[in-house]
Amino acid sequence: DAGVIQSPRHEVTEMGQEVTLRCKPISGHDYLFWYRQTMMRGLELLIYFNNNVPIDDSGMPEDRFSAKMPNASFSTLKIQPSEPRDSAVYFCASRSRWDSSAQYFGPGTRLLVL
Amino acid sequence: QQPVQSPQAVILREGEDAVINCSSSKALYSVHWYRQKHGEAPVFLMILLKGGEQKGHDKISASFNEKKQQSSLYLTASQLSYSGTYFCGTGPSPDSNYQLIWGAGTKLIIKP
């Protein structure tokens, strides 16, 4: 199994630009999570999906952030326009409904907004 | 509300034991433990559920005290590979197993 795949692994952009982060969950997993990690705020859940449907997006910071899951094997997190305070590591994680425990994290995307 | 982890950081010699605590102000249904090595993603260690027993994983085990609303992670005879930041994620109800509230982490450094 390839695990959760994220791209790009690193992204450097300028303030005001659009940023799109991509995630491919583990095949067969029903749940997909987007997290943001910073030194100041730690690990924060932004949004999660169940069977491609967004369940809770209360962690999305503001309207500049949006997430989609058009099918079971692909999700995107978009920031438009980006700001320096969005700089963080963004993780995608997936989980199976048959496993009541583990979330499997991808390697993360390290985003730097200048 | 975010669970409180203690200590924030600990430095040990290889072979020594460590205890990491995770306390919540809310009633808990589950506690999840993860380890994250520098520059890597968090990796699942174990989950403890309300009414469950203490769990073990090699020389890493954990307990869950429902009344005190806290969990402890025990690392016995620590190895260099145990270095990293340990996070607890808490769920107040069975439905919240998907939506964990994460502690700030405990950084563990193991020296040879």
Side-chain angles (χ1 to χ4, degrees), chain A residues 35 37 40 47 52 54 58 70-71 101-102 113-114:
Chain A
Y35 288 95
Q37 187 176 41
M40 290 297 294
I47 185 172
N52 315 335
S58 59
N71 57 62
S101 51
V113 183
L114 302 174

Side-chain angles (χ1 to χ4, degrees), chain B residues 13-25:
Chain B
R13 291 284 181 191
E14 198 174 5
E16 293 181 334
D17 300 341
V19 180
I20 299 172
N21 300 303
C22 175
S23 297
S24 174
S25 58

Side-chain angles (χ1 to χ4, degrees), chain A residues 9 31 33 35 37 41 43 45 48 56 58 91 95 97 100-103 105-107 110, chain B residues 2 32 34 36 39-44 46-47 49 87 95 97-100 102-104:
Chain A
R9 294 291 308 275
Y31 291 86
F33 306 83
Y35 288 95
Q37 187 176 41
R41 301 176 67 90
L43 195 61
L45 176 65
Y48 80 94
D56 191 330
S58 59
F91 288 106
R95 170 185 163 161
R97 61 179 168 169
S100 63
S101 51
Q103 293 185 19
F105 284 76
R110 192 170 296 271
Chain B
Q2 186 181 45
H32 305 230
Y34 284 73
Q36 183 178 28
E40 299 181 8
V43 174
F44 174 76
M46 66 187 75
I47 179 176
L49 300 176
F87 293 95
D95 292 340
N97 262 351
Y98 310 111
Q99 201 166 343
L100 303 177
W102 298 87

Side-chain angles (χ1 to χ4, degrees), chain A residues 25-42:
Chain A
I26 293 173
S27 177
H29 280 193
D30 315 277
Y31 291 86
L32 184 139
F33 306 83
W34 281 102
Y35 288 95
R36 177 173 68 178
Q37 187 176 41
T38 61
M39 289 293 294
M40 290 297 294
R41 301 176 67 90

Side-chain angles (χ1 to χ4, degrees), chain B residues 20-89:
Chain B
I20 299 172
N21 300 303
C22 175
S23 297
S24 174
S25 58
K26 292 185 174 182
L28 297 177
Y29 173 78
S30 65
V31 180
H32 305 230
W33 286 99
Y34 284 73
R35 176 172 62 207
Q36 183 178 28
K37 293 184 178 288
H38 183 68
E40 299 181 8
V43 174
F44 174 76
L45 293 176
M46 66 187 75
I47 179 176
L48 296 103
L49 300 176
K50 183 177 180 179
E53 299 177 353
Q54 182 165 336
K55 285 212 171 175
H57 178 271
D58 194 11
K59 292 182 180 178
I60 300 175
S61 61
S63 63
F64 181 16
N65 188 321
E66 299 159 23
K67 288 184 178 178
K68 292 186 177 180
Q69 297 164 185
Q70 69 180 36
S71 175
S72 295
L73 186 70
Y74 306 95
L75 298 100
T76 307
S78 56
Q79 306 168 14
L80 295 176
S81 61
Y82 287 0
S83 291
T85 301
Y86 289 78
F87 293 95
C88 66

